[in-house]
């Protein structure tokens, strides 16, 4: 019996490009191997291996199905810079393994970053290499942090880097769910159509000229003021600025659940507000620093 690793590298090419708004582009990737792409969506994390200008990647064993990701990843890290293809983390917007397709929504921010530059300049037929879960594996792949348990009241908040995951999560919510969804985006035109349960309010917050995170923080604080629970003071240690800010509870405490993702400084401050000022159990809060202001993402 063939044993499959939980993650593998899929060879794909660009099938369609759909400019959703000034800041978002949806790229549909196709490939025969995607019939084995194993995910139900939500905030499923994947890695994108960005090709060089000629469409190639340095082979470090990432296409060998007999090797696990950690084996070839170590070799990738040891490569000289000029041979090391950029690797960036994204979330799946829509998987369609039956059609051998996946959609990835890119938040465009110019051509300084390798992934945004690739998406900005991509054409139909261009190659892209996706490291994602293999449905044939008997081992759990992980990479999904949306774990609300039996909670029926939710707070979901993030910036444009979290918008694809948020949209996928909201579309999966049971009809009886109630709650608040706050998504900060660069402009009013970046508000995307999103179907949510009747009891869930979705607010797109155009940043305009405001600093990153200001509109999102204000919206979550406003939600907190309207919340009926009593505030309880809880002390939280100051975060290490070099630490990866990422914490996902194993079990949700009670019927309330918060999912926060985006710029690390903003998200950490919001999590602190929920716990310290509003008295929400930290076991009911998932918070993920997708990126940090002023720093490039490390693979």
């Amino acid at each position: 019996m063939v044993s499959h690793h939980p993650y593998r590298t899929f060879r794909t090419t660009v099938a369609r490009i759909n400019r959703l708004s000034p800041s978002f582009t949806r790229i549909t990737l196709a490939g025969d191997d995607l019939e084995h792409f194993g995910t139900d969506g939500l905030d499923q994390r994947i890695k994108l291996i960005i090709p060089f200008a000629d469409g190639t990647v340095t082979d470090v064993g990432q296409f060998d199905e007999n090797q696990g990701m950690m084996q070839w990843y170590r070799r990738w890290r040891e490569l000289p810079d000029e041979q090391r293809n950029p690797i960036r983390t994204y979330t799946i917007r829509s998987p369609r393994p039956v059609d051998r397709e996946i959609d990835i929504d890119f938040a465009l921010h110019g051509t300084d970053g390798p992934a945004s530059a690739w998406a900005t300049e991509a054409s139909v037929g261009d190659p892209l290499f996706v490291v994602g879960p293999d449905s044939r594996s008997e081992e759990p792949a992980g990479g999904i942090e949306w774990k609300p348990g039996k909670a029926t009241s939710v707070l979901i908040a993030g910036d444009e880097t979290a918008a694809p995951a948020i949209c996928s999560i909201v579309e999966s919510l049971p009809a009886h769910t109630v709650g608040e969804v706050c998504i900060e985006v660069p402009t009013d035109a970046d508000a995307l159509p999103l179907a949510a349960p009747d009891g869930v309010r979705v607010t797109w917050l155009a940043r305009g000229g405001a600093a990153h995170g200001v509109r999102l923080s204000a919206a979550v604080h406003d939600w907190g003021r309207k919340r009926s629970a009593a505030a309880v003071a809880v002390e939280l240690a100051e975060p290490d600025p070099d630490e990866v800010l990422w914490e996902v509870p194993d079990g949700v405490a009670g019927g309330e659940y918060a999912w926060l993702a985006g710029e690390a400084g903003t998200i950490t401050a919001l999590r602190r507000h929920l716990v310290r000022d509003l008295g929400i159990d930290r076991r009911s809060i998932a918070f993920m620093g997708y990126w940090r202001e002023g720093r490039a993402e490390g693979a």
Side-chain angles (χ1 to χ4, degrees), residues 10 28-41 92-103 133-136:
F10 296 85
T28 299
L29 301 171
D32 289 342
D33 290 348
L34 290 175
E35 67 174 312
H36 301 304
F37 191 90
T39 178
D40 293 325
I92 287 291
R93 180 60 179 90
S94 299
R96 292 182 298 280
V98 172
D99 299 325
R100 297 179 172 84
E101 290 184 345
I102 57 175
D103 290 338
D134 190 330
S135 63
R136 300 169 297 176

Side-chain angles (χ1 to χ4, degrees), residues 104-121:
I104 302 175
D105 286 359
F106 290 82
L108 303 179
H109 49 84
T111 56
D112 291 336
S116 179
W118 179 87
T120 299
E121 299 167 356

Side-chain angles (χ1 to χ4, degrees), residues 52 58 75-85:
F52 293 128
T58 301
R75 288 194 290 274
W76 174 85
R77 290 180 62 90
E78 294 168 356
L79 290 171
D81 289 347
E82 66 273 12
Q83 295 179 28
R84 187 189 301 121
N85 293 86

Side-chain angles (χ1 to χ4, degrees), residues 66 89 91 115 126 132 147 164 190 206 248 252 267 273 277 289:
N66 294 318
T89 305
T91 56
D126 285 354
K147 302 171 184 176
D190 292 315
V248 180
V252 174
I267 295 306
H273 172 63
D277 302 330

Side-chain angles (χ1 to χ4, degrees), residues 56-192:
T56 64
V57 297
T58 301
D59 190 346
V60 290
Q62 67 269 51
F63 301 111
D64 184 352
E65 292 191 40
N66 294 318
Q67 294 192 46
M69 179 178 172
M70 288 300 101
Q71 292 174 281
W72 65 257
Y73 185 73
R74 282 193 295 270
R75 288 194 290 274
W76 174 85
R77 290 180 62 90
E78 294 168 356
L79 290 171
D81 289 347
E82 66 273 12
Q83 295 179 28
R84 187 189 301 121
N85 293 86
I87 296 179
R88 292 295 183 264
T89 305
Y90 273 77
T91 56
I92 287 291
R93 180 60 179 90
S94 299
R96 292 182 298 280
V98 172
D99 299 325
R100 297 179 172 84
E101 290 184 345
I102 57 175
D103 290 338
I104 302 175
D105 286 359
F106 290 82
L108 303 179
H109 49 84
T111 56
D112 291 336
S116 179
W118 179 87
T120 299
E121 299 167 356
S123 300
V124 171
D126 285 354
L128 186 65
F129 306 94
V130 179
V131 183
D134 190 330
S135 63
R136 300 169 297 176
S137 176
E138 296 181 357
E139 301 177 50
I144 293 180
E145 311 297 10
W146 173 258
K147 302 171 184 176
K150 297 182 180 179
T152 57
S153 178
V154 300
L155 169 67
I156 302 172
D159 60 20
E160 61 265 34
T161 64
I166 291 174
C167 290
S168 182
I169 288 169
V170 169
E171 290 175 349
S172 76
L173 292 174
H176 64 271
T177 306
V178 298
E180 189 87 7
V181 177
C182 304
I183 311 171
E184 183 181 285
V185 290
T187 71
D188 285 318
D190 292 315
L192 305 176

